[in-house]
Amino acid sequence: MRSRVSAFVATTAAITTGVLAFSVPAHADAVTVISQGHVDAIDVAYEDGELGITIHDETVEPDVERDPADVILVARSQARSTVPADPAYAFLGSPGAAVWVLPETQDPNLLWPGLSGEEIEPGVFVDDSIRIRFKQVRGPDGLSLFTTDPVGTPSVLVDSEDGLPDVVTLPAGLHQHANWAFEKAGVYRIRVDATATLATTGATVTSAPAWITFAVLP
């Protein structure tokens, strides 16, 4: 489930030369690589008057909050699928094309990344909500987040190929899962921030940007 970054580099050497050029932090021996189990890939908290983003890692006991700069999230090769023929899925590419999906419903063999506002107390923000803004994606192809209804119809939350930023609104105290879809193997870096409006003053608070890193294995 977990390895040091040296093992990650050895594994991903088979992806592309571009992946090998990916710049890991200087303190590479401290990087945590997670490829299986539940994490909140974007976990928003409000403390001391500031919003902040961490990765909430529930693959260890006790669970921990990690700095996104120190984490590489992995979509294993088992996540590889094909784009359905249904036109509703055209945002993923051509029917039959490869796509790697970390699913909305947990698969014990894969990473299960969520979006969380569980640490936000009710009453702090207008409408008891926070907004996660997906502002930039660097990677070999498109990234999408989408949910599906009981009959399999998708609802797109984020699509890096039709213009960013995209915004996902989360209720305070709750978290959400979605399908994370990557259209090619390789390394994706996703720049996000969180913003909300204080209920008491009407002032807007915005977190510092965070870069979330995924490695998608072929």
Side-chain angles (χ1 to χ4, degrees), residues 116-172:
S116 178
E118 289 178 291
E119 297 184 61
I120 306 295
E121 295 291 333
V124 175
F125 297 116
V126 171
D127 296 328
D128 275 335
S129 68
I130 56 172
R131 299 176 297 281
I132 297 173
R133 300 187 294 192
F134 287 72
K135 304 192 78 174
Q136 185 178 3
V137 174
R138 296 177 179 172
D141 211 320
L143 162 76
S144 300
L145 273 69
F146 65 97
T147 58
T148 51
D149 67 16
V151 297
T153 302
S155 177
V156 180
L157 306 177
V158 176
D159 184 351
S160 69
E161 296 183 304
D162 69 356
L164 295 176
D166 284 337
V167 177
V168 178
T169 300
L170 287 182

Side-chain angles (χ1 to χ4, degrees), residues 1-204:
M1 180 184 299
R2 183 179 300 277
S3 65
R4 306 303 293 172
V5 73
S6 58
F8 164 76
V9 172
T11 301
T12 57
I15 301 178
T16 61
T17 301
V19 173
L20 293 177
F22 168 63
S23 177
V24 297
H27 54 294
D29 58 343
V31 170
T32 298
V33 179
I34 310 173
S35 64
Q36 188 176 3
H38 182 254
V39 298
D40 286 319
I42 302 170
D43 185 19
V44 184
Y46 181 67
E47 297 176 352
D48 300 324
E50 295 183 349
L51 285 170
I53 294 174
T54 60
I55 291 176
H56 185 195
D57 181 2
E58 296 186 13
T59 70
V60 294
E61 182 64 41
D63 55 298
V64 295
E65 301 287 344
R66 301 190 186 276
D67 185 336
D70 298 335
V71 177
I72 297 172
L73 302 173
V74 177
R76 292 177 163 186
S77 56
Q78 294 96 317
R80 180 171 176 161
S81 183
T82 56
V83 177
D86 185 341
Y89 285 89
F91 64 93
L92 295 178
S94 301
V99 63
W100 286 254
V101 179
L102 296 175
E104 180 178 5
T105 302
Q106 186 169 20
D107 179 334
N109 296 311
L110 298 174
L111 188 69
W112 193 34
L115 308 172
S116 178
E118 289 178 291
E119 297 184 61
I120 306 295
E121 295 291 333
V124 175
F125 297 116
V126 171
D127 296 328
D128 275 335
S129 68
I130 56 172
R131 299 176 297 281
I132 297 173
R133 300 187 294 192
F134 287 72
K135 304 192 78 174
Q136 185 178 3
V137 174
R138 296 177 179 172
D141 211 320
L143 162 76
S144 300
L145 273 69
F146 65 97
T147 58
T148 51
D149 67 16
V151 297
T153 302
S155 177
V156 180
L157 306 177
V158 176
D159 184 351
S160 69
E161 296 183 304
D162 69 356
L164 295 176
D166 284 337
V167 177
V168 178
T169 300
L170 287 182
L174 297 177
H175 84 285
Q176 177 178 354
H177 281 277
N179 301 283
W180 296 66
F182 306 88
E183 294 177 28
K184 282 186 181 176
V187 172
Y188 292 75
R189 301 197 70 211
I190 306 162
R191 184 166 68 95
V192 299
D193 66 15
T195 187
T197 303
L198 289 168
T200 53
T201 66
T204 298

